[in-house]
Amino acid sequence: MTINGIIVLLVSSILLENVLLSQFLGVCSFLGVSKNRKNAVGMGIAVVAVIFIATIVTWLVYNFILVKFDLVYLKTIIFILVIASLVQIIEIIIKKFIPSLYKALGIYLPLITTNCAVLGVAIKAVQNDLSFGAMLIYSLGSGLGYLLVMFIFSTIREELEKRNVPKAMKGIPIALVVASILAIIFSRYVGIVKENDTKEYELPPQNANVIVMNIPSDDYLNSFIGGNK
């Protein structure tokens, strides 16, 4: 995979196909843990870890066991078992080393087991037949997208607690309004137009809203990352 491809896939998974605001997966924890920024970020980091590790394991299980032995029809139940096992391990680690976060997350930490964001990313990675490298970028980007939205949403909710919000709108009602506005904002990024070497664009439909990314060549990026010698 080229650097251009990595950039496009990473941006797409974080913004364009955000698991919370574009695919609407994992909404339960999104609303339940986002009252406090610290807890929301902790939850987001845990989800990033679970999504990344679970997608790697499920991708390997799918390609080297389920496909090989013609057991693809079992992928959903197998993926759930893998995710549940990983969540239990992470729960034990958090309880041991970060008891305050464990107490704050409460029931929402075990709920990662059935968090459809984790399962959705794992299933989409194999359904789209992603290579191992592409799967790594996609799973990492999806997790970071979850963390980004949790941070933004929890920050806004904390500020709303300090404001004079009408009684009927306090709590979940105003949170849903904010979530809807964020979803509308994220929905504006429906595609990426990448400039190619001939300076011609692969134009989307006229009514589409796009991010125009003038991505430099791989040679330029490699020299930039490596520094001038």
Side-chain angles (χ1 to χ4, degrees):
M1 178 181 289
T2 64
I3 295 181
N4 288 2
I6 292 173
I7 294 174
V8 171
L9 182 56
L10 190 61
V11 172
S12 297
S13 57
I14 293 175
L15 295 177
L16 311 184
E17 297 185 12
N18 186 272
V19 290
L20 285 171
L21 299 180
S22 296
Q23 302 184 54
F24 305 107
L25 301 173
V27 177
C28 178
S29 59
F30 174 57
L31 292 174
V33 188
S34 57
K35 296 178 182 178
N36 179 278
R37 188 183 343 183
K38 181 179 179 181
N39 295 342
V41 171
M43 180 71 169
I45 293 174
V47 170
V48 170
V50 173
I51 287 180
F52 186 67
I53 299 172
T55 307
I56 293 175
V57 176
T58 53
W59 188 93
L60 294 173
V61 169
Y62 179 86
N63 285 279
F64 293 101
I65 297 178
L66 300 185
V67 172
K68 183 176 181 180
F69 295 100
D70 195 22
L71 298 172
V72 174
Y73 62 92
L74 292 176
K75 70 175 181 294
T76 301
I77 186 65
I78 295 298
F79 285 11
I80 290 175
L81 291 174
V82 170
I83 293 169
S85 301
L86 290 172
V87 170
Q88 290 299 314
I89 295 173
I90 291 177
E91 183 177 358
I92 292 171
I93 293 174
I94 293 178
K95 186 177 181 180
K96 176 70 174 179
F97 297 102
I98 319 177
S100 59
L101 177 59
Y102 175 81
K103 185 177 180 180
L105 293 177
I107 192 175
Y108 295 102
L109 184 57
L111 281 179
I112 298 179
T113 302
T114 54
N115 191 322
C116 51
V118 181
L119 181 60
V121 172
I123 290 179
K124 194 168 183 179
V126 298
Q127 284 183 339
N128 290 343
D129 197 24
L130 297 180
S131 65
F132 186 77
M135 175 272 296
L136 292 177
I137 300 300
Y138 174 70
S139 60
L140 179 61
S142 297
L144 292 176
Y146 181 97
L147 175 59
L148 173 65
V149 172
M150 287 292 285
F151 175 78
I152 295 173
F153 190 54
S154 61
T155 300
I156 295 174
R157 290 192 70 179
E158 281 192 347
E159 288 300 316
L160 286 174
E161 289 295 323
K162 305 174 185 177
R163 300 296 185 265
N164 187 21
V165 178
K167 186 176 180 180
M169 293 297 294
K170 286 186 177 180
I172 295 297
I174 191 65
L176 290 173
V177 172
V178 172
S180 301
I181 295 173
L182 287 176
I184 291 172
I185 294 172
F186 273 67
S187 71
R188 307 309 291 173
Y189 307 120
V190 297
I192 292 181
V193 178
K194 188 182 72 156
E195 188 177 15
N196 57 30
D197 294 335
T198 61
K199 304 299 181 182
E200 296 177 353
Y201 290 98
E202 300 173 3
L203 292 175
Q206 290 183 345
N207 295 329
N209 302 288
V210 301
I211 304 173
V212 178
M213 298 181 64
N214 296 321
I215 302 177
S217 66
D218 290 342
D219 292 337
Y220 175 82
L221 287 173
N222 286 329
S223 63
F224 178 79
I225 294 172
N228 296 324
K229 299 182 179 179

